[in-house]
Amino acid sequence: MRDFGKSLIRFALIIALSLVIGAIFIMIIGENPISAYAALVKGAFVGKLNLGKTLANFTPLMLTALAFAVGAKGGAFNVGVEGEVFLGGIAAAYIGIHWGFLPMPIHLLACFLGAMIVAAMWAFIPGALKAYYGVNEVCSTILLNYVAFYITSYLVSGPMSAGVANAQSDPVADQVKLYQFMKPSSANVGMFIAIIVGIIAIWILNKTTFGYKIRTVGLNASHAEYVGINPKHTFVKTMIFSGVLGGIAGCIEILGVHGYFLNNFAANIGFNGMLAALVVKNNLILTPFMAFFLGALKSGALGLQQATSVPKSIVDTITAVFIIIATMDLLFQFKKKKQIQQSDEPLKPEASQEKEA
Amino acid sequence: MSSFVVEMKGINKNFGEVCAVKNGHIQVEKGEIHALIGENGAGKSTMMKLLYGLFPHDAGDIWVSEKQIKNMTPKRAIDLGIGMVHQEFMLVNELTVLENILLGFEPKKGLTVDFATGRAQVQQFIDQYGLDIQMDKRIHQISVGEAQRVEIIKILSRGAEIIILDEPTAVLTPQEADGLFEILKKLKADGKSVIFISHKLDEVMKISDRISVMRQGAYIGTVQKTETNPAQLAQMMIGREVFLNIKKSEVNSGAKVLDVQDLWTSGEKEISKIRGISFEVHEGEILGIAGIDGNGQSELIEAITGLRKVEKGKVILAGEAITNLSVSNIRAKGMTHIPEDRNKRGLNRALTIWENIIATHIGDQAFSKNKVLSLQHSIDYANELAEQFDIRPRDVTMPTQSLSGGNAQKVVVAREVAMNGKLLVASQPTRGVDIGAIESIRSILEKVKEQGTGVLLVSADLEEILSLSDRIIVMFEGKISGTLTASEATDTKLGYLMMGGKTEEAAHA
Amino acid sequence: GGSEPAASTNEGGSDAPAKTRVAIVFSGNLGDKSYNDSCYAGALKAQEEFDIELKTLEGTEAAEWEANFLAVAEEGYDLIICSSSNFEEYMKEHCANYPDTKFAVIDTTVEGDNIVSVSFAQNQGSFLAGAAAALFTKMSDIEGVNDENIIGWVGGMDIPVLHDFYTGYEQGAKYVDPDITILQSFAGTWNDPLKGKELTLAQYQQGADVVMNVASGTGTGILEAATEAGKYAIGVDLNQDGDQPGHVLTSMLKRVDSACYLLIQSVVEGTFEGGSKQYLTIADNGVSLTDMSVMKEALGDQFPDEILTKIQELQDKIVSGEIVVENYEGFGPNN
Amino acid sequence: MTFEKIINLSLIYATLRSATPIIYASLCAAITQQADILNIGTEGIMLTGAFTAVTVSYLTGSWLLAVIVAMLAGLVMASVIAVGHLKYGAEITAIGIGINMFALAFTKYMLNSLLGKTGSFTDPKIIGIPKVHLAFLDNSPALNELFNNWAVTEWFAFILVGILTFVLFKTVWGLRLRAVGKFPMAAQTAGINVTAMRYQALAISGLVGGLAGAHLSLGYSKMFTENMTNGRGFMGVAAMFFGGAHPVLTAIGCLVFGFADSIGARLQAYGVPSQFVLLMPYVVTVAVLAISMATKQSREARKKSALITTAPSTLTEKRG
Ligand SMILES: Nc1ncnc2c1ncn2[C@@H]1O[C@H](COP(=O)(O)OP(=O)(O)OP(=O)(O)O)[C@@H](O)[C@H]1O
Ligand SMILES: Nc1ncnc2c1ncn2[C@@H]1O[C@H](COP(=O)(O)OP(=O)(O)OP(=O)(O)O)[C@@H](O)[C@H]1O
Ligand SMILES: [Mg+2]
Ligand SMILES: [Mg+2]
């Protein structure tokens, strides 16, 4: 509990520091930082539209962040969540458009399953390449993201094109569209699905034998092998698990937000999710909160752009400064510093350098 | 003021909550071999790391050559003539032996490393002390004994006058250990001071001049070698009497439990490839495998336990062929295994004691219903084992990385022994653990055997092999160089076979 | 419909007649030196003349487009100009909820009482560009022009509207020379000039000497490639003739700027006609080629004046209906 | 479609040309990787360098000064990563992504406020990195086509591969850096200041990243565009992993990609669906990597096999 309070204070200080730096930028361009920040907060939380935007941003980010974090627990640095979102999305769109003959609940389920399966198959590729040939997954997933993007891009400007001015698919059947509960924002019931999926994912990781295997392999693969857990299989399964989460994110975006597959819709969803997970060092419990924070920051930034004449580039700069400062764990680590000073009292007060033991 | 080359007074060191050293002392005279002994986790390594400046100490004074040193760093320590061979070798696997030796003190030719000069310098020390090493091999290609020699040359070439050796003999054969002692004597003769950490009391008695004892982070006392005996030392270390030489029970061997037939398997090095090995282990028997590290023992064990692909031949466990089955399958058929490296294989250091204990049970109904872990049952079970095997501290929710070596090893032993398998493969079961733990682990193995389980024991410690095994096979360059019964085996015979000699000749040795 | 007092959406209290408030939402960033900039230029011109309040919102991702669009809709602007077809779906979904706001969309058609849709016959403009390229590639006495009849075309993303451009370009080129070879590439992105440059250089390598740019931000690189390789390019949307002087043969103007200006004017003057759609053709001056004056200056005497006359001739034929320029599926006056 | 229009000499130069920016980026990532630091911030460092180079070149008319200042700008960005990661415990990839976001937004802001432009900036006053004209090649059409008129930085990319290989594997600093990357504790016990080495690696990485950006905006082109790196920094990171952080292998990875990319640029003109052509270089690179890893694996397996004796003499001799 005390720790929680400490980290809250730390977080508040980080925000304060970021705000000060941001304020300097804003004052340089001759705007009033107070009203700018008011616009930022308003843009993130005030009113149905703004709050809805934040929630709509949060939904896919939480899933992609968990997708990355789950991979990381199993020892995978999976940059490929973005590709999984794209392919999950296109699968959901295809089923949503063409399988309208199914009754509604089954049709909806089919969309989700299709997205999960396709995304899982996609994540299987780098997983298997790493497990069986030692191909570095950072390398393969960075490259495969482009492939996923071009595949979907081809589909929606070719075979699946709606024939309108944009590269996009036909709309999915109305029955599978997810109800948007904060109109006009696109926050939709997918958020609750995402939260449930997130809870299940965290539960799987912490409470099941599968999760145990993932964590064991991620922490020490040769130990895993020795106790009879096949690290290669588990690594591949971890990637598949990660892919499933990415696929669900894509499915929710398609069914809940857009209603059709829009070319390049997931640009940065995967990356920002990865960021959310990394900032909290893949802590599964903190990851959703970080995703929410990033989601709010994003809609707040839009609000700032909309309500003031602060240019978007400044808004984005401030956002980036926020993130950079938020990554720095040891900033404002008063507790630790004090302890060192105390214990070093009789001797030198030089900062500790006990890094690795 | 002090007249010692090294004096540490009132040293305290905490790692977070863990108190590693409290009120630690040591005083080393010039030109002596000073042994530092204590149980696992007594704080010996920590004391020495503080002396070497690897991390700052919380309280106390350090004097080196009559100068008080504050802000010690490794660089500073080296400049002061301190050299340390760490318990875990500080050698970079991917670099060559020569590169490792020169690292940090490279002779330069312009910007580049002057390897020629470096090589010549190193050769000087090789010649002076008769340390045989191959400078162009990479670390992962050389044996542990050789790696140790590399470490010693490394610190000598940096001009060390005060030499710290942290458990140098844990990984050596008796012959290699004797070689090391010769070197230490030469160093002493050259006026260098040596701090020598060991768990082996006979070694300590053999080599040291004075002995300091630590227990649970605290300094207990210093004695002259000539005024003490192993029993007293053990008492100082542990606080009670110990009995290392357990009585070997009668061989009561039954059916074949392991049958290895003409086994061939790959090797990390040319001499560790297994090329056609056959032997049997019976119920209620301990079969010891002796041999110099790196002659294929690790590969053989991996092949038997499913961790390495068998290229030719058969492994039969209690009548069932287990050749190239998956590890989980082999374990399901009754194989249990204490691996040689507890940190790499045996434990998941970041996980808790209970999570490590159930690692081999997660498929069992009792531990996971429908693939959901049963937390309460797992913890209960772990607590039970902790009690039974005396794992200290008795808190199974502690991460294993905060356990001392001996207790960490007990976690592995407990998990494997409690499986009640048909065969227990025990590889270096007491490496680097203190005598208290050695005592208990050896008696556990003895008990396992009495229950009728077959035990395959691999150890570089000949004393261990001799005191536990009913039969002994000796490995040399991936083959069996000889098989002996317990009654006919002696140190010298084994030593001879370990160097590749034939059995008949060994008989005459 | 008459002019609705803009004040109705403002907070009351002020006596002075409120300014007309106009918002433009972009799918992309300003500074593309083409489509978006053109739109913005028209708005600026209107701002100068009519004393309006102007707000522009940029966004690079779909989520931002929708959010920006909704934000200005909620804010109650008098006129919201959606700069591209990317806003089509959001307009279909939301415009009806803001009956007091006037919407306009460019490059696509959206039905609605408060919406004006403006599209361009880019195929007609491209027809002329294709014809110009086909004529120019024959002028092998001009430096950098070889004797092969090959021309090129580099697009941004492979999306339908670009195929409408290409259809016209191909038809125009083949009208001049049925045997001509046309190289077509897509960069797959709107904002990677270096990729555009590489693709263009590849086309030059393969014998093209004039390459048309339809690639927004990516196009900067296409034009740069022309200078670097000593070859020629054709600009798009805005007059890009001066960007790489002497290497941009002409530009196909798509008068988004005047469309934008006219839309604002219609609201200020109360002539905004909700529900209407406009298809601006060559005849309306919605699309055209530049007068090639920059090129003429650069080439001096070498400049082939016959190109200008030929282009004029073709333009007249299109206006008169003698030449019917085809559309890509889904485009044209009836879409 | 004529074969010689696709595969010809110009393809080789096109390959080198489109690979060069990625080679620089991958070297930027490789240096830190040798110290076991994954520099995802390559993209941002590079973008900052690109912007700085164009600005300085435009303002001063000196390409050399521009390149130097760009490298310093890269250094500044890398320093932020270094301090954040090494002093304040930031997750290295997280702060790297943060730097990328910052660079993207901040260069856009500076473009606007400093140069008064939006989107992109081209100007005749920007002095590009000069091209090297080797007069003696003029008479040989093939060599002329291949080697003439490379930008200085295109030549230098290959020189830099050599320099870094030398630095990493021959110099004192390189030896220490690799030790730090592989086993920091061992380096520390050898008296090496591990943290200082990591700072240095990031600093040099920043300089190289800045140079990468300068090449992009002054060598490969003569302009600055928002987000002009467009993923090239990430490709560099991928290539670094491709080559296991060895400069030469890493550069080979870039060339594989560049080659497939250049072939694609030529194929597309003949009506192959653009997306397939555009995704080809990525697939080819993954495939090449997978195949080379698989061969390496089987080679190593063979080396370890007991059934195949690689050095029969040592065994039999000793036994005899
Ligand atoms: N090396 C192998 N080659 C082929 N199949 C294998 C191999 N190892 C295991 N399998 C089989 O693959 C399946 C999955 O392997 P895994 O070891 O993960 O089993 P599991 O314990 O059932 O895993 P989970 O709990 O995730 O279902 C099992 O049916 C197992 O028998
Ligand atoms: N870096 C560290 N972080 C946390 N605890 C540590 C660290 N290093 C040592 N300890 C703890 O400090 C205590 C003393 O450890 P130390 O390594 O000095 O023991 P030791 O006497 O060398 O034991 P052994 O004989 O097993 O090597 C142990 O409880 C150990 O777990
Ligand atoms: Mg120790
Ligand atoms: Mg021609």
Side-chain angles (χ1 to χ4, degrees), chain A residues 207 209 212 220 222-223 225-226 343 347-348, chain B residues 57-58 71 337 344-345 355 371 373 416:
Chain A
K207 300 284 180 216
T209 55
Y212 179 91
N220 183 347
S222 61
H223 164 77
E225 186 186 20
Y226 147 81
S343 55
L347 267 177
K348 69 225 166 101
Chain B
H57 50 287
D58 300 339
N71 299 328
H337 177 197
K344 187 168 151 248
R345 283 263 195 223
E355 283 171 306
K371 308 225 163 201
L373 287 177
E416 299 302 320

PDB file of all heavy atoms in Angstrom, chain A residues 207 209 212 220 222-223 225-226 343 347-348, chain B residues 57-58 71 337 344-345 355 371 373 416:
ATOM      1  N   LYS A 207      -2.244 -18.108 -13.616  1.00  0.00           N
ATOM      2  CA  LYS A 207      -2.890 -19.177 -12.870  1.00  0.00           C
ATOM      3  C   LYS A 207      -2.923 -20.535 -13.556  1.00  0.00           C
ATOM      4  O   LYS A 207      -3.284 -21.518 -12.920  1.00  0.00           O
ATOM      5  CB  LYS A 207      -4.346 -18.777 -12.533  1.00  0.00           C
ATOM      6  CG  LYS A 207      -4.461 -17.522 -11.682  1.00  0.00           C
ATOM      7  CD  LYS A 207      -4.108 -17.781 -10.230  1.00  0.00           C
ATOM      8  CE  LYS A 207      -4.226 -16.510  -9.436  1.00  0.00           C
ATOM      9  NZ  LYS A 207      -3.231 -16.378  -8.381  1.00  0.00           N
ATOM     10  N   THR A 209      -1.504 -23.794 -16.102  1.00  0.00           N
ATOM     11  CA  THR A 209      -0.253 -24.489 -16.422  1.00  0.00           C
ATOM     12  C   THR A 209       0.356 -23.908 -17.691  1.00  0.00           C
ATOM     13  O   THR A 209       1.574 -23.810 -17.816  1.00  0.00           O
ATOM     14  CB  THR A 209      -0.506 -25.991 -16.634  1.00  0.00           C
ATOM     15  OG1 THR A 209      -1.518 -26.140 -17.626  1.00  0.00           O
ATOM     16  CG2 THR A 209      -0.967 -26.653 -15.368  1.00  0.00           C
ATOM     17  N   TYR A 212       2.116 -20.895 -16.690  1.00  0.00           N
ATOM     18  CA  TYR A 212       3.319 -21.298 -15.967  1.00  0.00           C
ATOM     19  C   TYR A 212       4.419 -21.673 -16.956  1.00  0.00           C
ATOM     20  O   TYR A 212       5.574 -21.280 -16.813  1.00  0.00           O
ATOM     21  CB  TYR A 212       3.000 -22.477 -15.053  1.00  0.00           C
ATOM     22  CG  TYR A 212       4.185 -22.982 -14.271  1.00  0.00           C
ATOM     23  CD1 TYR A 212       4.468 -22.480 -13.010  1.00  0.00           C
ATOM     24  CD2 TYR A 212       5.030 -23.950 -14.801  1.00  0.00           C
ATOM     25  CE1 TYR A 212       5.566 -22.926 -12.294  1.00  0.00           C
ATOM     26  CE2 TYR A 212       6.129 -24.400 -14.102  1.00  0.00           C
ATOM     27  CZ  TYR A 212       6.395 -23.894 -12.848  1.00  0.00           C
ATOM     28  OH  TYR A 212       7.490 -24.333 -12.156  1.00  0.00           O
ATOM     29  N   ASN A 220      13.767 -18.875 -18.157  1.00  0.00           N
ATOM     30  CA  ASN A 220      14.926 -19.756 -18.258  1.00  0.00           C
ATOM     31  C   ASN A 220      14.565 -20.966 -19.118  1.00  0.00           C
ATOM     32  O   ASN A 220      14.051 -21.966 -18.626  1.00  0.00           O
ATOM     33  CB  ASN A 220      15.363 -20.189 -16.856  1.00  0.00           C
ATOM     34  CG  ASN A 220      16.613 -21.050 -16.885  1.00  0.00           C
ATOM     35  OD1 ASN A 220      17.036 -21.529 -17.929  1.00  0.00           O
ATOM     36  ND2 ASN A 220      17.209 -21.248 -15.726  1.00  0.00           N
ATOM     37  N   SER A 222      16.371 -23.184 -20.646  1.00  0.00           N
ATOM     38  CA  SER A 222      17.025 -24.478 -20.494  1.00  0.00           C
ATOM     39  C   SER A 222      16.535 -25.187 -19.231  1.00  0.00           C
ATOM     40  O   SER A 222      16.515 -26.414 -19.186  1.00  0.00           O
ATOM     41  CB  SER A 222      18.552 -24.353 -20.540  1.00  0.00           C
ATOM     42  OG  SER A 222      19.015 -23.543 -19.514  1.00  0.00           O
ATOM     43  N   HIS A 223      16.119 -24.404 -18.252  1.00  0.00           N
ATOM     44  CA  HIS A 223      15.467 -25.030 -17.092  1.00  0.00           C
ATOM     45  C   HIS A 223      14.143 -25.664 -17.531  1.00  0.00           C
ATOM     46  O   HIS A 223      13.822 -26.792 -17.153  1.00  0.00           O
ATOM     47  CB  HIS A 223      15.216 -23.988 -16.007  1.00  0.00           C
ATOM     48  CG  HIS A 223      14.241 -24.409 -14.959  1.00  0.00           C
ATOM     49  ND1 HIS A 223      14.580 -25.290 -13.951  1.00  0.00           N
ATOM     50  CD2 HIS A 223      12.936 -24.108 -14.766  1.00  0.00           C
ATOM     51  CE1 HIS A 223      13.527 -25.488 -13.177  1.00  0.00           C
ATOM     52  NE2 HIS A 223      12.509 -24.790 -13.650  1.00  0.00           N
ATOM     53  N   GLU A 225      13.273 -26.786 -20.384  1.00  0.00           N
ATOM     54  CA  GLU A 225      13.534 -27.998 -21.146  1.00  0.00           C
ATOM     55  C   GLU A 225      13.822 -29.159 -20.199  1.00  0.00           C
ATOM     56  O   GLU A 225      13.316 -30.267 -20.356  1.00  0.00           O
ATOM     57  CB  GLU A 225      14.744 -27.725 -22.047  1.00  0.00           C
ATOM     58  CG  GLU A 225      15.067 -28.838 -23.002  1.00  0.00           C
ATOM     59  CD  GLU A 225      16.358 -28.557 -23.746  1.00  0.00           C
ATOM     60  OE1 GLU A 225      17.162 -27.726 -23.260  1.00  0.00           O
ATOM     61  OE2 GLU A 225      16.553 -29.175 -24.810  1.00  0.00           O
ATOM     62  N   TYR A 226      14.603 -28.871 -19.184  1.00  0.00           N
ATOM     63  CA  TYR A 226      15.023 -29.910 -18.241  1.00  0.00           C
ATOM     64  C   TYR A 226      13.862 -30.469 -17.414  1.00  0.00           C
ATOM     65  O   TYR A 226      13.813 -31.652 -17.119  1.00  0.00           O
ATOM     66  CB  TYR A 226      16.145 -29.330 -17.371  1.00  0.00           C
ATOM     67  CG  TYR A 226      16.183 -29.846 -15.957  1.00  0.00           C
ATOM     68  CD1 TYR A 226      16.772 -31.080 -15.659  1.00  0.00           C
ATOM     69  CD2 TYR A 226      15.655 -29.097 -14.921  1.00  0.00           C
ATOM     70  CE1 TYR A 226      16.806 -31.544 -14.349  1.00  0.00           C
ATOM     71  CE2 TYR A 226      15.690 -29.554 -13.622  1.00  0.00           C
ATOM     72  CZ  TYR A 226      16.262 -30.781 -13.337  1.00  0.00           C
ATOM     73  OH  TYR A 226      16.289 -31.243 -12.053  1.00  0.00           O
ATOM     74  N   SER A 343      22.458   4.338   4.490  1.00  0.00           N
ATOM     75  CA  SER A 343      23.323   3.202   4.719  1.00  0.00           C
ATOM     76  C   SER A 343      24.782   3.559   4.469  1.00  0.00           C
ATOM     77  O   SER A 343      25.677   2.953   5.021  1.00  0.00           O
ATOM     78  CB  SER A 343      22.900   2.043   3.824  1.00  0.00           C
ATOM     79  OG  SER A 343      22.887   2.481   2.496  1.00  0.00           O
ATOM     80  N   LEU A 347      30.389   6.011   5.540  1.00  0.00           N
ATOM     81  CA  LEU A 347      31.398   6.095   4.492  1.00  0.00           C
ATOM     82  C   LEU A 347      31.042   7.149   3.451  1.00  0.00           C
ATOM     83  O   LEU A 347      30.583   8.226   3.759  1.00  0.00           O
ATOM     84  CB  LEU A 347      31.562   4.726   3.835  1.00  0.00           C
ATOM     85  CG  LEU A 347      32.668   3.889   4.474  1.00  0.00           C
ATOM     86  CD1 LEU A 347      32.716   2.527   3.810  1.00  0.00           C
ATOM     87  CD2 LEU A 347      34.015   4.594   4.328  1.00  0.00           C
ATOM     88  N   LYS A 348      31.239   6.787   2.227  1.00  0.00           N
ATOM     89  CA  LYS A 348      31.054   7.780   1.172  1.00  0.00           C
ATOM     90  C   LYS A 348      29.596   7.875   0.732  1.00  0.00           C
ATOM     91  O   LYS A 348      28.894   6.864   0.757  1.00  0.00           O
ATOM     92  CB  LYS A 348      31.894   7.387  -0.037  1.00  0.00           C
ATOM     93  CG  LYS A 348      31.322   6.125  -0.680  1.00  0.00           C
ATOM     94  CD  LYS A 348      32.382   5.145  -1.001  1.00  0.00           C
ATOM     95  CE  LYS A 348      31.762   3.802  -1.295  1.00  0.00           C
ATOM     96  NZ  LYS A 348      31.679   3.536  -2.693  1.00  0.00           N
TER      97      LYS A 348
ATOM     98  N   HIS B  57      30.436  -0.955   0.300  1.00  0.00           N
ATOM     99  CA  HIS B  57      29.946  -1.547   1.549  1.00  0.00           C
ATOM    100  C   HIS B  57      29.207  -0.497   2.354  1.00  0.00           C
ATOM    101  O   HIS B  57      29.394   0.704   2.165  1.00  0.00           O
ATOM    102  CB  HIS B  57      31.082  -2.178   2.349  1.00  0.00           C
ATOM    103  CG  HIS B  57      32.269  -1.287   2.556  1.00  0.00           C
ATOM    104  ND1 HIS B  57      33.147  -0.987   1.537  1.00  0.00           N
ATOM    105  CD2 HIS B  57      32.718  -0.651   3.648  1.00  0.00           C
ATOM    106  CE1 HIS B  57      34.084  -0.194   2.000  1.00  0.00           C
ATOM    107  NE2 HIS B  57      33.861   0.048   3.277  1.00  0.00           N
ATOM    108  N   ASP B  58      28.358  -0.997   3.235  1.00  0.00           N
ATOM    109  CA  ASP B  58      27.516  -0.078   3.992  1.00  0.00           C
ATOM    110  C   ASP B  58      28.262   0.514   5.184  1.00  0.00           C
ATOM    111  O   ASP B  58      28.044   1.651   5.562  1.00  0.00           O
ATOM    112  CB  ASP B  58      26.257  -0.799   4.492  1.00  0.00           C
ATOM    113  CG  ASP B  58      25.436  -1.359   3.338  1.00  0.00           C
ATOM    114  OD1 ASP B  58      25.622  -0.865   2.209  1.00  0.00           O
ATOM    115  OD2 ASP B  58      24.628  -2.274   3.557  1.00  0.00           O
ATOM    116  N   ASN B  71      35.961   4.314  -1.315  1.00  0.00           N
ATOM    117  CA  ASN B  71      35.560   4.281  -2.732  1.00  0.00           C
ATOM    118  C   ASN B  71      36.343   3.260  -3.539  1.00  0.00           C
ATOM    119  O   ASN B  71      36.912   3.579  -4.565  1.00  0.00           O
ATOM    120  CB  ASN B  71      35.755   5.641  -3.399  1.00  0.00           C
ATOM    121  CG  ASN B  71      34.917   6.693  -2.739  1.00  0.00           C
ATOM    122  OD1 ASN B  71      33.832   6.401  -2.251  1.00  0.00           O
ATOM    123  ND2 ASN B  71      35.416   7.907  -2.716  1.00  0.00           N
ATOM    124  N   HIS B 337      16.192 -36.372 -12.164  1.00  0.00           N
ATOM    125  CA  HIS B 337      17.495 -35.855 -12.602  1.00  0.00           C
ATOM    126  C   HIS B 337      17.881 -34.617 -11.807  1.00  0.00           C
ATOM    127  O   HIS B 337      17.163 -33.622 -11.815  1.00  0.00           O
ATOM    128  CB  HIS B 337      17.362 -35.527 -14.110  1.00  0.00           C
ATOM    129  CG  HIS B 337      18.590 -34.909 -14.716  1.00  0.00           C
ATOM    130  ND1 HIS B 337      18.546 -34.246 -15.924  1.00  0.00           N
ATOM    131  CD2 HIS B 337      19.869 -34.846 -14.298  1.00  0.00           C
ATOM    132  CE1 HIS B 337      19.759 -33.803 -16.207  1.00  0.00           C
ATOM    133  NE2 HIS B 337      20.575 -34.146 -15.243  1.00  0.00           N
ATOM    134  N   LYS B 344      21.608 -22.817 -14.049  1.00  0.00           N
ATOM    135  CA  LYS B 344      21.214 -22.775 -15.440  1.00  0.00           C
ATOM    136  C   LYS B 344      20.031 -23.704 -15.699  1.00  0.00           C
ATOM    137  O   LYS B 344      19.052 -23.335 -16.330  1.00  0.00           O
ATOM    138  CB  LYS B 344      22.401 -23.168 -16.313  1.00  0.00           C
ATOM    139  CG  LYS B 344      22.166 -22.991 -17.778  1.00  0.00           C
ATOM    140  CD  LYS B 344      23.472 -23.118 -18.558  1.00  0.00           C
ATOM    141  CE  LYS B 344      23.197 -23.647 -19.943  1.00  0.00           C
ATOM    142  NZ  LYS B 344      23.707 -25.005 -20.177  1.00  0.00           N
ATOM    143  N   ARG B 345      20.144 -24.932 -15.222  1.00  0.00           N
ATOM    144  CA  ARG B 345      19.128 -25.935 -15.512  1.00  0.00           C
ATOM    145  C   ARG B 345      18.184 -26.172 -14.339  1.00  0.00           C
ATOM    146  O   ARG B 345      16.981 -26.198 -14.486  1.00  0.00           O
ATOM    147  CB  ARG B 345      19.804 -27.279 -15.807  1.00  0.00           C
ATOM    148  CG  ARG B 345      20.423 -27.396 -17.160  1.00  0.00           C
ATOM    149  CD  ARG B 345      19.492 -28.098 -18.106  1.00  0.00           C
ATOM    150  NE  ARG B 345      20.204 -28.525 -19.299  1.00  0.00           N
ATOM    151  CZ  ARG B 345      19.701 -28.382 -20.532  1.00  0.00           C
ATOM    152  NH1 ARG B 345      18.517 -27.837 -20.718  1.00  0.00           N
ATOM    153  NH2 ARG B 345      20.380 -28.798 -21.568  1.00  0.00           N
ATOM    154  N   GLU B 355       7.172 -22.610  -6.717  1.00  0.00           N
ATOM    155  CA  GLU B 355       7.023 -22.735  -8.177  1.00  0.00           C
ATOM    156  C   GLU B 355       8.103 -23.653  -8.751  1.00  0.00           C
ATOM    157  O   GLU B 355       7.862 -24.386  -9.715  1.00  0.00           O
ATOM    158  CB  GLU B 355       7.077 -21.356  -8.836  1.00  0.00           C
ATOM    159  CG  GLU B 355       5.785 -20.580  -8.679  1.00  0.00           C
ATOM    160  CD  GLU B 355       5.903 -19.135  -9.131  1.00  0.00           C
ATOM    161  OE1 GLU B 355       6.800 -18.417  -8.642  1.00  0.00           O
ATOM    162  OE2 GLU B 355       5.097 -18.714  -9.968  1.00  0.00           O
ATOM    163  N   LYS B 371      -5.874 -27.912 -16.121  1.00  0.00           N
ATOM    164  CA  LYS B 371      -4.819 -26.978 -16.523  1.00  0.00           C
ATOM    165  C   LYS B 371      -4.806 -25.688 -15.713  1.00  0.00           C
ATOM    166  O   LYS B 371      -4.119 -24.738 -16.067  1.00  0.00           O
ATOM    167  CB  LYS B 371      -4.902 -26.650 -18.014  1.00  0.00           C
ATOM    168  CG  LYS B 371      -4.951 -27.904 -18.887  1.00  0.00           C
ATOM    169  CD  LYS B 371      -4.026 -27.788 -20.065  1.00  0.00           C
ATOM    170  CE  LYS B 371      -3.778 -29.168 -20.656  1.00  0.00           C
ATOM    171  NZ  LYS B 371      -2.619 -29.287 -21.430  1.00  0.00           N
ATOM    172  N   LEU B 373      -3.676 -24.132 -12.256  1.00  0.00           N
ATOM    173  CA  LEU B 373      -2.802 -24.507 -11.152  1.00  0.00           C
ATOM    174  C   LEU B 373      -3.568 -24.470  -9.838  1.00  0.00           C
ATOM    175  O   LEU B 373      -4.340 -23.552  -9.579  1.00  0.00           O
ATOM    176  CB  LEU B 373      -1.626 -23.542 -11.058  1.00  0.00           C
ATOM    177  CG  LEU B 373      -0.557 -23.675 -12.133  1.00  0.00           C
ATOM    178  CD1 LEU B 373       0.479 -22.600 -11.938  1.00  0.00           C
ATOM    179  CD2 LEU B 373       0.070 -25.042 -12.095  1.00  0.00           C
ATOM    180  N   GLU B 416      13.387 -33.597  -7.081  1.00  0.00           N
ATOM    181  CA  GLU B 416      13.662 -34.801  -7.855  1.00  0.00           C
ATOM    182  C   GLU B 416      13.484 -36.064  -7.011  1.00  0.00           C
ATOM    183  O   GLU B 416      12.902 -37.042  -7.468  1.00  0.00           O
ATOM    184  CB  GLU B 416      15.068 -34.728  -8.439  1.00  0.00           C
ATOM    185  CG  GLU B 416      15.288 -33.554  -9.390  1.00  0.00           C
ATOM    186  CD  GLU B 416      14.321 -33.574 -10.579  1.00  0.00           C
ATOM    187  OE1 GLU B 416      14.055 -34.670 -11.105  1.00  0.00           O
ATOM    188  OE2 GLU B 416      13.835 -32.487 -10.958  1.00  0.00           O
TER     189      GLU B 416
END
